[in-house]
Amino acid sequence: MIKIEHLNKIFNENRSNAYVALKDINLHIKPAQTVVIKGVSGSGKSTLLSIIATLIKPSSGSLMVDEQMIAKLPDTHASHFRNVHIGFIFQAFNLFDELSVKDNVAMPLIVSENRQERIDKKVLEAMELANITHKKDQSVHNLSGGEKQRCAIARALVHNPHIILCDEPTANLDRENSLKFIEILKSFKALGKTVVIATHDPLFDNLESVDRTILIEDGKIR
Amino acid sequence: MPNKVFFNFLFLLIFRHRSKHIAIFIISTLVVILFSSVMLLSHAIEQDAQASLSAQPDFIIQKMHAGRAVETPVEWLDELSEIEGVSSALPRVYGSYFYTPNAEYFTLVGIDLFDRQISESLERLVKDLDVKDFLAQPSMIIGSGVKTHLDKFYYKEHYTFRTPAREKREVSIYDSLLSETNIVSSDMILMEESLARDILGVDEELSTDLVLYVPNELEHDNVKEKIILLFNNIRVIEKEELSTAYAQMFNYKGGLFLLLYMVVLMTFILILYQRYSMISSSDKKEIGILRALGWSVNMVIRLKIMESLIVGLSAFVLGILLAYGYVFYLDAPLLSEIFLGNANLSNKITFNHSVDFGLLTLLFLFFMAPYISAVLIPVWRIAITDPLEAMK
């Protein structure tokens, strides 16, 4: 359960260039729900995802995940929380181009796993889920956009997080690959993952696999 | 944390930032070479000087006239040997001999081989010395620098000296001095005392200086006072003074280089700081991704420090190896001339390989401590970059 109450985010607070990105956000997301946050660029949806991922801290308000207050966690605990509970899929994939697919997928495990055999096993399972095993030894820069997306999905799943956050996941994909991603969303649901997608792609409108769609405008939920 | 993927990633990072690392690696290596060459050289010289000085007498006495040393009367020995604590008092005959083929000066030293102390000292400097054989014909023992110069003109077996009266004296080459005594003995020729007198033109009743052996070190101050009271216009040089003079000379030169090193090190730290402070967008993105995947600021700092450490350590090891080769295999050209510029010969000196762990630790600390400090602050600045902004 993700529980957000009266959450505000102001960038450059107490400065002349202060900017209010999120205003009084209240949002409850139940376990295994798939929620789409829609809004135009700059509306605050990516900021909201980053706060849920503990990448940035809110200026005020509370954020609870599974009854745990995570809004103001210190860096070490926030990093640990992220490493255990959050899988992140980015718009630009954010992979290390020079590394192989399997090494990219293994990146989150570097900090949490010591035994190489366990890393190898988990990486293989994640690559199978994302259907990218056949490219495991290839460098990422040799992959197509769709394959990069699948590599990023495998990386997001490898440490078995229960929350998957997707920031504009189809922005860099053609229609065919975007539809494949939507199919993968169904498998996330089948795995019992809570999925939060920030997007302005109309492909996500009225999807059967999406439980809720939230519209965000000028930092406020409408 | 470190596992195979981590090390793959670490080496990938080093490869990705190779242009930055190569520049830092080259500068770091040069800094290490400069500093360690001076340290290794001054250590080798100290070792060499100590080995040579161990064979020196406890006191050297010279007659002074108008502020300069002149030949000393041998008859003074009678009074000197009567001083309490003096085990032996001997005349020494030595001087410079001009070697015309190469226009160099050799230091020619006359020795009394029937004196037990001298023959014992000589046995330490020459391997397998047979005194009888040595005295059977006019012979000499030569330093390594002299040997090089004589070899150049094919004087392999003997060399013909000329006395001040232009008479020829053919002297056979018996052996050369052990390399442990290189610094003092490189330009030295040892021969029987009467032969040296003949070649240098020193009369029987005179000597270049007189030497005293005083085995009890506690007596040295007393003996010195008594010598000074016995004669006017003399200079008394103690073995410790020689040792201190050598040490001061080399430490003073080493100190100058240390000062130079400090300036270089400061410049190096500034360059390093400036290089690591330049945060490119790819650096930011890289850190942003890692932070999003659950890496803490500490882990990112650890990764970045390991990245810098690999570059720094490689530069340190390479710098030490190159400095070692420069000092002990190439005999430190240029630097050794600055340190040993006083010798008669432009000596070709071979330093004996000697490195101690204390010296290596000192070198390591002098290099790595400023290196890590210069890297740490920029790395921390990179690590706390806002991951969200960084990935955009």
Side-chain angles (χ1 to χ4, degrees), chain A residues 174-208:
Chain A
D174 55 23
R175 189 177 162 76
E176 188 191 346
N177 279 309
S178 298
L179 290 171
K180 279 183 186 168
F181 178 78
I182 286 163
E183 283 304 305
I184 288 171
L185 266 186
K186 288 178 188 166
S187 63
F188 288 169
K189 205 169 179 61
L191 289 166
K193 309 287 181 196
T194 306
V195 184
V196 184
I197 305 159
T199 184
H200 57 262
D201 189 340
L203 267 180
F204 288 88
D205 294 347
N206 307 315
L207 280 179
E208 200 184 308

PDB file of all heavy atoms in Angstrom, chain A residues 174-208:
ATOM      1  N   ASP A 174       8.482   2.631 -30.666  1.00  0.00           N
ATOM      2  CA  ASP A 174       7.487   2.718 -31.750  1.00  0.00           C
ATOM      3  C   ASP A 174       6.194   2.035 -31.254  1.00  0.00           C
ATOM      4  O   ASP A 174       6.160   1.457 -30.161  1.00  0.00           O
ATOM      5  CB  ASP A 174       8.034   2.060 -33.022  1.00  0.00           C
ATOM      6  CG  ASP A 174       8.482   0.630 -32.781  1.00  0.00           C
ATOM      7  OD1 ASP A 174       8.005   0.007 -31.819  1.00  0.00           O
ATOM      8  OD2 ASP A 174       9.331   0.129 -33.551  1.00  0.00           O
ATOM      9  N   ARG A 175       5.159   2.102 -32.096  1.00  0.00           N
ATOM     10  CA  ARG A 175       3.846   1.598 -31.656  1.00  0.00           C
ATOM     11  C   ARG A 175       3.888   0.107 -31.316  1.00  0.00           C
ATOM     12  O   ARG A 175       3.342  -0.318 -30.298  1.00  0.00           O
ATOM     13  CB  ARG A 175       2.813   1.885 -32.751  1.00  0.00           C
ATOM     14  CG  ARG A 175       1.405   1.593 -32.302  1.00  0.00           C
ATOM     15  CD  ARG A 175       0.383   1.952 -33.348  1.00  0.00           C
ATOM     16  NE  ARG A 175      -0.875   1.292 -33.065  1.00  0.00           N
ATOM     17  CZ  ARG A 175      -1.722   1.672 -32.124  1.00  0.00           C
ATOM     18  NH1 ARG A 175      -1.471   2.732 -31.390  1.00  0.00           N
ATOM     19  NH2 ARG A 175      -2.843   1.012 -31.920  1.00  0.00           N
ATOM     20  N   GLU A 176       4.596  -0.637 -32.168  1.00  0.00           N
ATOM     21  CA  GLU A 176       4.652  -2.093 -31.980  1.00  0.00           C
ATOM     22  C   GLU A 176       5.273  -2.445 -30.615  1.00  0.00           C
ATOM     23  O   GLU A 176       4.736  -3.241 -29.849  1.00  0.00           O
ATOM     24  CB  GLU A 176       5.485  -2.708 -33.109  1.00  0.00           C
ATOM     25  CG  GLU A 176       5.446  -4.221 -33.135  1.00  0.00           C
ATOM     26  CD  GLU A 176       6.482  -4.804 -34.091  1.00  0.00           C
ATOM     27  OE1 GLU A 176       7.042  -4.049 -34.919  1.00  0.00           O
ATOM     28  OE2 GLU A 176       6.732  -6.007 -33.982  1.00  0.00           O
ATOM     29  N   ASN A 177       6.396  -1.785 -30.335  1.00  0.00           N
ATOM     30  CA  ASN A 177       7.072  -2.059 -29.058  1.00  0.00           C
ATOM     31  C   ASN A 177       6.285  -1.505 -27.876  1.00  0.00           C
ATOM     32  O   ASN A 177       6.327  -2.088 -26.783  1.00  0.00           O
ATOM     33  CB  ASN A 177       8.490  -1.493 -29.080  1.00  0.00           C
ATOM     34  CG  ASN A 177       9.450  -2.419 -29.814  1.00  0.00           C
ATOM     35  OD1 ASN A 177       9.523  -3.604 -29.530  1.00  0.00           O
ATOM     36  ND2 ASN A 177      10.142  -1.878 -30.803  1.00  0.00           N
ATOM     37  N   SER A 178       5.573  -0.392 -28.110  1.00  0.00           N
ATOM     38  CA  SER A 178       4.732   0.163 -27.031  1.00  0.00           C
ATOM     39  C   SER A 178       3.638  -0.832 -26.668  1.00  0.00           C
ATOM     40  O   SER A 178       3.343  -1.043 -25.477  1.00  0.00           O
ATOM     41  CB  SER A 178       4.093   1.480 -27.476  1.00  0.00           C
ATOM     42  OG  SER A 178       5.093   2.427 -27.742  1.00  0.00           O
ATOM     43  N   LEU A 179       3.067  -1.470 -27.693  1.00  0.00           N
ATOM     44  CA  LEU A 179       2.010  -2.464 -27.431  1.00  0.00           C
ATOM     45  C   LEU A 179       2.574  -3.674 -26.694  1.00  0.00           C
ATOM     46  O   LEU A 179       1.921  -4.244 -25.813  1.00  0.00           O
ATOM     47  CB  LEU A 179       1.349  -2.888 -28.748  1.00  0.00           C
ATOM     48  CG  LEU A 179       0.484  -1.797 -29.412  1.00  0.00           C
ATOM     49  CD1 LEU A 179       0.043  -2.216 -30.809  1.00  0.00           C
ATOM     50  CD2 LEU A 179      -0.754  -1.485 -28.553  1.00  0.00           C
ATOM     51  N   LYS A 180       3.815  -4.041 -27.050  1.00  0.00           N
ATOM     52  CA  LYS A 180       4.459  -5.160 -26.346  1.00  0.00           C
ATOM     53  C   LYS A 180       4.641  -4.821 -24.875  1.00  0.00           C
ATOM     54  O   LYS A 180       4.484  -5.665 -23.989  1.00  0.00           O
ATOM     55  CB  LYS A 180       5.827  -5.462 -26.975  1.00  0.00           C
ATOM     56  CG  LYS A 180       5.743  -6.305 -28.229  1.00  0.00           C
ATOM     57  CD  LYS A 180       7.130  -6.623 -28.739  1.00  0.00           C
ATOM     58  CE  LYS A 180       7.033  -7.349 -30.077  1.00  0.00           C
ATOM     59  NZ  LYS A 180       8.339  -7.418 -30.750  1.00  0.00           N
ATOM     60  N   PHE A 181       4.996  -3.527 -24.629  1.00  0.00           N
ATOM     61  CA  PHE A 181       5.188  -3.104 -23.226  1.00  0.00           C
ATOM     62  C   PHE A 181       3.875  -3.227 -22.453  1.00  0.00           C
ATOM     63  O   PHE A 181       3.853  -3.684 -21.299  1.00  0.00           O
ATOM     64  CB  PHE A 181       5.713  -1.668 -23.148  1.00  0.00           C
ATOM     65  CG  PHE A 181       5.872  -1.180 -21.738  1.00  0.00           C
ATOM     66  CD1 PHE A 181       6.961  -1.568 -20.970  1.00  0.00           C
ATOM     67  CD2 PHE A 181       4.905  -0.374 -21.146  1.00  0.00           C
ATOM     68  CE1 PHE A 181       7.097  -1.149 -19.653  1.00  0.00           C
ATOM     69  CE2 PHE A 181       5.036   0.041 -19.822  1.00  0.00           C
ATOM     70  CZ  PHE A 181       6.138  -0.349 -19.080  1.00  0.00           C
ATOM     71  N   ILE A 182       2.803  -2.842 -23.135  1.00  0.00           N
ATOM     72  CA  ILE A 182       1.482  -2.942 -22.471  1.00  0.00           C
ATOM     73  C   ILE A 182       1.163  -4.399 -22.131  1.00  0.00           C
ATOM     74  O   ILE A 182       0.587  -4.703 -21.080  1.00  0.00           O
ATOM     75  CB  ILE A 182       0.408  -2.264 -23.344  1.00  0.00           C
ATOM     76  CG1 ILE A 182       0.602  -0.740 -23.241  1.00  0.00           C
ATOM     77  CG2 ILE A 182      -1.012  -2.641 -22.913  1.00  0.00           C
ATOM     78  CD1 ILE A 182      -0.075   0.070 -24.306  1.00  0.00           C
ATOM     79  N   GLU A 183       1.591  -5.309 -23.008  1.00  0.00           N
ATOM     80  CA  GLU A 183       1.408  -6.743 -22.727  1.00  0.00           C
ATOM     81  C   GLU A 183       2.199  -7.147 -21.485  1.00  0.00           C
ATOM     82  O   GLU A 183       1.724  -7.914 -20.644  1.00  0.00           O
ATOM     83  CB  GLU A 183       1.882  -7.580 -23.932  1.00  0.00           C
ATOM     84  CG  GLU A 183       0.916  -7.604 -25.102  1.00  0.00           C
ATOM     85  CD  GLU A 183      -0.474  -8.090 -24.683  1.00  0.00           C
ATOM     86  OE1 GLU A 183      -0.559  -9.200 -24.119  1.00  0.00           O
ATOM     87  OE2 GLU A 183      -1.452  -7.343 -24.892  1.00  0.00           O
ATOM     88  N   ILE A 184       3.413  -6.580 -21.398  1.00  0.00           N
ATOM     89  CA  ILE A 184       4.268  -6.903 -20.230  1.00  0.00           C
ATOM     90  C   ILE A 184       3.627  -6.400 -18.939  1.00  0.00           C
ATOM     91  O   ILE A 184       3.737  -7.045 -17.881  1.00  0.00           O
ATOM     92  CB  ILE A 184       5.692  -6.331 -20.440  1.00  0.00           C
ATOM     93  CG1 ILE A 184       6.429  -7.150 -21.505  1.00  0.00           C
ATOM     94  CG2 ILE A 184       6.516  -6.340 -19.150  1.00  0.00           C
ATOM     95  CD1 ILE A 184       7.747  -6.591 -21.962  1.00  0.00           C
ATOM     96  N   LEU A 185       2.918  -5.264 -19.065  1.00  0.00           N
ATOM     97  CA  LEU A 185       2.214  -4.726 -17.887  1.00  0.00           C
ATOM     98  C   LEU A 185       1.292  -5.769 -17.261  1.00  0.00           C
ATOM     99  O   LEU A 185       1.169  -5.858 -16.036  1.00  0.00           O
ATOM    100  CB  LEU A 185       1.349  -3.546 -18.313  1.00  0.00           C
ATOM    101  CG  LEU A 185       1.919  -2.136 -18.200  1.00  0.00           C
ATOM    102  CD1 LEU A 185       0.850  -1.118 -18.537  1.00  0.00           C
ATOM    103  CD2 LEU A 185       2.438  -1.877 -16.799  1.00  0.00           C
ATOM    104  N   LYS A 186       0.684  -6.550 -18.148  1.00  0.00           N
ATOM    105  CA  LYS A 186      -0.243  -7.594 -17.663  1.00  0.00           C
ATOM    106  C   LYS A 186       0.517  -8.619 -16.825  1.00  0.00           C
ATOM    107  O   LYS A 186       0.008  -9.116 -15.818  1.00  0.00           O
ATOM    108  CB  LYS A 186      -0.927  -8.274 -18.847  1.00  0.00           C
ATOM    109  CG  LYS A 186      -1.953  -7.382 -19.533  1.00  0.00           C
ATOM    110  CD  LYS A 186      -2.551  -8.113 -20.736  1.00  0.00           C
ATOM    111  CE  LYS A 186      -3.432  -7.151 -21.538  1.00  0.00           C
ATOM    112  NZ  LYS A 186      -3.768  -7.699 -22.865  1.00  0.00           N
ATOM    113  N   SER A 187       1.759  -8.916 -17.294  1.00  0.00           N
ATOM    114  CA  SER A 187       2.530  -9.906 -16.523  1.00  0.00           C
ATOM    115  C   SER A 187       2.936  -9.345 -15.158  1.00  0.00           C
ATOM    116  O   SER A 187       3.039 -10.082 -14.178  1.00  0.00           O
ATOM    117  CB  SER A 187       3.759 -10.371 -17.313  1.00  0.00           C
ATOM    118  OG  SER A 187       4.620  -9.296 -17.543  1.00  0.00           O
ATOM    119  N   PHE A 188       3.187  -8.006 -15.093  1.00  0.00           N
ATOM    120  CA  PHE A 188       3.480  -7.385 -13.790  1.00  0.00           C
ATOM    121  C   PHE A 188       2.314  -7.615 -12.833  1.00  0.00           C
ATOM    122  O   PHE A 188       2.495  -7.929 -11.661  1.00  0.00           O
ATOM    123  CB  PHE A 188       3.676  -5.869 -13.926  1.00  0.00           C
ATOM    124  CG  PHE A 188       4.970  -5.443 -14.603  1.00  0.00           C
ATOM    125  CD1 PHE A 188       5.165  -4.119 -14.986  1.00  0.00           C
ATOM    126  CD2 PHE A 188       5.989  -6.351 -14.842  1.00  0.00           C
ATOM    127  CE1 PHE A 188       6.335  -3.719 -15.595  1.00  0.00           C
ATOM    128  CE2 PHE A 188       7.172  -5.949 -15.454  1.00  0.00           C
ATOM    129  CZ  PHE A 188       7.336  -4.631 -15.839  1.00  0.00           C
ATOM    130  N   LYS A 189       1.129  -7.429 -13.396  1.00  0.00           N
ATOM    131  CA  LYS A 189      -0.088  -7.594 -12.597  1.00  0.00           C
ATOM    132  C   LYS A 189      -0.201  -9.036 -12.098  1.00  0.00           C
ATOM    133  O   LYS A 189      -0.503  -9.282 -10.925  1.00  0.00           O
ATOM    134  CB  LYS A 189      -1.299  -7.220 -13.450  1.00  0.00           C
ATOM    135  CG  LYS A 189      -2.495  -6.765 -12.635  1.00  0.00           C
ATOM    136  CD  LYS A 189      -3.540  -6.152 -13.541  1.00  0.00           C
ATOM    137  CE  LYS A 189      -4.742  -5.718 -12.738  1.00  0.00           C
ATOM    138  NZ  LYS A 189      -4.442  -4.717 -11.729  1.00  0.00           N
ATOM    139  N   ALA A 190       0.118  -9.945 -13.034  1.00  0.00           N
ATOM    140  CA  ALA A 190       0.062 -11.367 -12.673  1.00  0.00           C
ATOM    141  C   ALA A 190       1.068 -11.699 -11.575  1.00  0.00           C
ATOM    142  O   ALA A 190       0.834 -12.599 -10.753  1.00  0.00           O
ATOM    143  CB  ALA A 190       0.346 -12.208 -13.915  1.00  0.00           C
ATOM    144  N   LEU A 191       2.156 -10.978 -11.568  1.00  0.00           N
ATOM    145  CA  LEU A 191       3.178 -11.220 -10.530  1.00  0.00           C
ATOM    146  C   LEU A 191       2.838 -10.535  -9.208  1.00  0.00           C
ATOM    147  O   LEU A 191       3.575 -10.645  -8.232  1.00  0.00           O
ATOM    148  CB  LEU A 191       4.543 -10.701 -11.020  1.00  0.00           C
ATOM    149  CG  LEU A 191       5.227 -11.496 -12.139  1.00  0.00           C
ATOM    150  CD1 LEU A 191       6.370 -10.693 -12.740  1.00  0.00           C
ATOM    151  CD2 LEU A 191       5.744 -12.831 -11.618  1.00  0.00           C
ATOM    152  N   GLY A 192       1.754  -9.769  -9.193  1.00  0.00           N
ATOM    153  CA  GLY A 192       1.313  -9.104  -7.967  1.00  0.00           C
ATOM    154  C   GLY A 192       2.053  -7.811  -7.680  1.00  0.00           C
ATOM    155  O   GLY A 192       2.118  -7.360  -6.531  1.00  0.00           O
ATOM    156  N   LYS A 193       2.643  -7.196  -8.704  1.00  0.00           N
ATOM    157  CA  LYS A 193       3.397  -5.963  -8.490  1.00  0.00           C
ATOM    158  C   LYS A 193       2.454  -4.751  -8.471  1.00  0.00           C
ATOM    159  O   LYS A 193       1.469  -4.711  -9.221  1.00  0.00           O
ATOM    160  CB  LYS A 193       4.415  -5.722  -9.616  1.00  0.00           C
ATOM    161  CG  LYS A 193       5.315  -6.903  -9.928  1.00  0.00           C
ATOM    162  CD  LYS A 193       6.340  -7.102  -8.849  1.00  0.00           C
ATOM    163  CE  LYS A 193       7.257  -8.276  -9.192  1.00  0.00           C
ATOM    164  NZ  LYS A 193       8.023  -8.738  -8.029  1.00  0.00           N
ATOM    165  N   THR A 194       2.802  -3.780  -7.646  1.00  0.00           N
ATOM    166  CA  THR A 194       2.103  -2.490  -7.684  1.00  0.00           C
ATOM    167  C   THR A 194       2.839  -1.659  -8.745  1.00  0.00           C
ATOM    168  O   THR A 194       4.051  -1.509  -8.675  1.00  0.00           O
ATOM    169  CB  THR A 194       2.210  -1.785  -6.313  1.00  0.00           C
ATOM    170  OG1 THR A 194       1.734  -2.690  -5.326  1.00  0.00           O
ATOM    171  CG2 THR A 194       1.435  -0.493  -6.290  1.00  0.00           C
ATOM    172  N   VAL A 195       2.089  -1.175  -9.728  1.00  0.00           N
ATOM    173  CA  VAL A 195       2.737  -0.467 -10.843  1.00  0.00           C
ATOM    174  C   VAL A 195       2.200   0.960 -10.915  1.00  0.00           C
ATOM    175  O   VAL A 195       0.983   1.175 -10.903  1.00  0.00           O
ATOM    176  CB  VAL A 195       2.476  -1.201 -12.187  1.00  0.00           C
ATOM    177  CG1 VAL A 195       3.226  -0.512 -13.329  1.00  0.00           C
ATOM    178  CG2 VAL A 195       2.893  -2.657 -12.099  1.00  0.00           C
ATOM    179  N   VAL A 196       3.119   1.917 -10.968  1.00  0.00           N
ATOM    180  CA  VAL A 196       2.728   3.324 -11.139  1.00  0.00           C
ATOM    181  C   VAL A 196       3.408   3.824 -12.402  1.00  0.00           C
ATOM    182  O   VAL A 196       4.637   3.753 -12.529  1.00  0.00           O
ATOM    183  CB  VAL A 196       3.143   4.189  -9.925  1.00  0.00           C
ATOM    184  CG1 VAL A 196       2.641   5.624 -10.088  1.00  0.00           C
ATOM    185  CG2 VAL A 196       2.628   3.599  -8.626  1.00  0.00           C
ATOM    186  N   ILE A 197       2.595   4.281 -13.354  1.00  0.00           N
ATOM    187  CA  ILE A 197       3.133   4.712 -14.649  1.00  0.00           C
ATOM    188  C   ILE A 197       2.849   6.207 -14.835  1.00  0.00           C
ATOM    189  O   ILE A 197       1.688   6.629 -14.769  1.00  0.00           O
ATOM    190  CB  ILE A 197       2.483   3.921 -15.814  1.00  0.00           C
ATOM    191  CG1 ILE A 197       2.650   2.406 -15.585  1.00  0.00           C
ATOM    192  CG2 ILE A 197       3.082   4.319 -17.169  1.00  0.00           C
ATOM    193  CD1 ILE A 197       1.651   1.570 -16.348  1.00  0.00           C
ATOM    194  N   ALA A 198       3.910   6.977 -15.057  1.00  0.00           N
ATOM    195  CA  ALA A 198       3.715   8.396 -15.382  1.00  0.00           C
ATOM    196  C   ALA A 198       3.849   8.523 -16.906  1.00  0.00           C
ATOM    197  O   ALA A 198       4.875   8.141 -17.471  1.00  0.00           O
ATOM    198  CB  ALA A 198       4.775   9.235 -14.690  1.00  0.00           C
ATOM    199  N   THR A 199       2.820   8.972 -17.559  1.00  0.00           N
ATOM    200  CA  THR A 199       2.860   9.021 -19.032  1.00  0.00           C
ATOM    201  C   THR A 199       1.868  10.053 -19.567  1.00  0.00           C
ATOM    202  O   THR A 199       0.931  10.457 -18.863  1.00  0.00           O
ATOM    203  CB  THR A 199       2.542   7.630 -19.630  1.00  0.00           C
ATOM    204  OG1 THR A 199       2.684   7.684 -21.041  1.00  0.00           O
ATOM    205  CG2 THR A 199       1.130   7.159 -19.289  1.00  0.00           C
ATOM    206  N   HIS A 200       2.109  10.485 -20.799  1.00  0.00           N
ATOM    207  CA  HIS A 200       1.045  11.235 -21.466  1.00  0.00           C
ATOM    208  C   HIS A 200       0.671  10.536 -22.779  1.00  0.00           C
ATOM    209  O   HIS A 200       0.040  11.102 -23.656  1.00  0.00           O
ATOM    210  CB  HIS A 200       1.452  12.699 -21.706  1.00  0.00           C
ATOM    211  CG  HIS A 200       2.711  12.866 -22.508  1.00  0.00           C
ATOM    212  ND1 HIS A 200       3.927  13.094 -21.913  1.00  0.00           N
ATOM    213  CD2 HIS A 200       2.922  12.835 -23.827  1.00  0.00           C
ATOM    214  CE1 HIS A 200       4.850  13.194 -22.861  1.00  0.00           C
ATOM    215  NE2 HIS A 200       4.261  13.037 -24.037  1.00  0.00           N
ATOM    216  N   ASP A 201       1.081   9.228 -22.888  1.00  0.00           N
ATOM    217  CA  ASP A 201       0.804   8.442 -24.084  1.00  0.00           C
ATOM    218  C   ASP A 201      -0.663   7.981 -24.070  1.00  0.00           C
ATOM    219  O   ASP A 201      -1.096   7.299 -23.131  1.00  0.00           O
ATOM    220  CB  ASP A 201       1.751   7.228 -24.088  1.00  0.00           C
ATOM    221  CG  ASP A 201       1.707   6.464 -25.409  1.00  0.00           C
ATOM    222  OD1 ASP A 201       0.724   6.626 -26.151  1.00  0.00           O
ATOM    223  OD2 ASP A 201       2.655   5.706 -25.671  1.00  0.00           O
ATOM    224  N   PRO A 202      -1.471   8.333 -25.122  1.00  0.00           N
ATOM    225  CA  PRO A 202      -2.893   7.926 -25.142  1.00  0.00           C
ATOM    226  C   PRO A 202      -3.097   6.415 -25.222  1.00  0.00           C
ATOM    227  O   PRO A 202      -4.208   5.926 -24.949  1.00  0.00           O
ATOM    228  CB  PRO A 202      -3.448   8.611 -26.396  1.00  0.00           C
ATOM    229  CG  PRO A 202      -2.278   9.084 -27.183  1.00  0.00           C
ATOM    230  CD  PRO A 202      -1.101   9.162 -26.272  1.00  0.00           C
ATOM    231  N   LEU A 203      -2.019   5.657 -25.535  1.00  0.00           N
ATOM    232  CA  LEU A 203      -2.138   4.194 -25.581  1.00  0.00           C
ATOM    233  C   LEU A 203      -2.585   3.605 -24.241  1.00  0.00           C
ATOM    234  O   LEU A 203      -3.158   2.515 -24.176  1.00  0.00           O
ATOM    235  CB  LEU A 203      -0.789   3.573 -25.945  1.00  0.00           C
ATOM    236  CG  LEU A 203      -0.494   3.289 -27.416  1.00  0.00           C
ATOM    237  CD1 LEU A 203       0.888   2.677 -27.552  1.00  0.00           C
ATOM    238  CD2 LEU A 203      -1.526   2.330 -28.003  1.00  0.00           C
ATOM    239  N   PHE A 204      -2.304   4.340 -23.152  1.00  0.00           N
ATOM    240  CA  PHE A 204      -2.646   3.834 -21.817  1.00  0.00           C
ATOM    241  C   PHE A 204      -4.091   4.165 -21.412  1.00  0.00           C
ATOM    242  O   PHE A 204      -4.527   3.763 -20.332  1.00  0.00           O
ATOM    243  CB  PHE A 204      -1.667   4.404 -20.776  1.00  0.00           C
ATOM    244  CG  PHE A 204      -0.280   3.817 -20.873  1.00  0.00           C
ATOM    245  CD1 PHE A 204       0.662   4.377 -21.705  1.00  0.00           C
ATOM    246  CD2 PHE A 204       0.057   2.683 -20.149  1.00  0.00           C
ATOM    247  CE1 PHE A 204       1.928   3.841 -21.804  1.00  0.00           C
ATOM    248  CE2 PHE A 204       1.332   2.128 -20.249  1.00  0.00           C
ATOM    249  CZ  PHE A 204       2.269   2.717 -21.088  1.00  0.00           C
ATOM    250  N   ASP A 205      -4.790   4.905 -22.293  1.00  0.00           N
ATOM    251  CA  ASP A 205      -6.175   5.254 -21.961  1.00  0.00           C
ATOM    252  C   ASP A 205      -7.070   4.013 -22.058  1.00  0.00           C
ATOM    253  O   ASP A 205      -6.959   3.229 -23.011  1.00  0.00           O
ATOM    254  CB  ASP A 205      -6.709   6.319 -22.935  1.00  0.00           C
ATOM    255  CG  ASP A 205      -5.963   7.636 -22.769  1.00  0.00           C
ATOM    256  OD1 ASP A 205      -5.243   7.780 -21.753  1.00  0.00           O
ATOM    257  OD2 ASP A 205      -6.058   8.501 -23.658  1.00  0.00           O
ATOM    258  N   ASN A 206      -7.938   3.876 -21.072  1.00  0.00           N
ATOM    259  CA  ASN A 206      -8.955   2.818 -21.058  1.00  0.00           C
ATOM    260  C   ASN A 206      -8.386   1.403 -21.220  1.00  0.00           C
ATOM    261  O   ASN A 206      -8.982   0.553 -21.876  1.00  0.00           O
ATOM    262  CB  ASN A 206     -10.000   3.059 -22.169  1.00  0.00           C
ATOM    263  CG  ASN A 206     -10.576   4.458 -22.060  1.00  0.00           C
ATOM    264  OD1 ASN A 206     -10.922   4.897 -20.959  1.00  0.00           O
ATOM    265  ND2 ASN A 206     -10.653   5.164 -23.184  1.00  0.00           N
ATOM    266  N   LEU A 207      -7.215   1.157 -20.651  1.00  0.00           N
ATOM    267  CA  LEU A 207      -6.652  -0.198 -20.720  1.00  0.00           C
ATOM    268  C   LEU A 207      -7.290  -1.070 -19.653  1.00  0.00           C
ATOM    269  O   LEU A 207      -7.507  -0.627 -18.517  1.00  0.00           O
ATOM    270  CB  LEU A 207      -5.138  -0.174 -20.488  1.00  0.00           C
ATOM    271  CG  LEU A 207      -4.242   0.218 -21.662  1.00  0.00           C
ATOM    272  CD1 LEU A 207      -2.784   0.204 -21.206  1.00  0.00           C
ATOM    273  CD2 LEU A 207      -4.422  -0.759 -22.823  1.00  0.00           C
ATOM    274  N   GLU A 208      -7.545  -2.306 -20.043  1.00  0.00           N
ATOM    275  CA  GLU A 208      -8.181  -3.222 -19.095  1.00  0.00           C
ATOM    276  C   GLU A 208      -7.268  -3.516 -17.895  1.00  0.00           C
ATOM    277  O   GLU A 208      -7.732  -3.670 -16.762  1.00  0.00           O
ATOM    278  CB  GLU A 208      -8.491  -4.523 -19.836  1.00  0.00           C
ATOM    279  CG  GLU A 208      -9.542  -5.377 -19.161  1.00  0.00           C
ATOM    280  CD  GLU A 208      -9.725  -6.691 -19.916  1.00  0.00           C
ATOM    281  OE1 GLU A 208      -9.932  -6.629 -21.153  1.00  0.00           O
ATOM    282  OE2 GLU A 208      -9.643  -7.743 -19.261  1.00  0.00           O
TER     283      GLU A 208
END
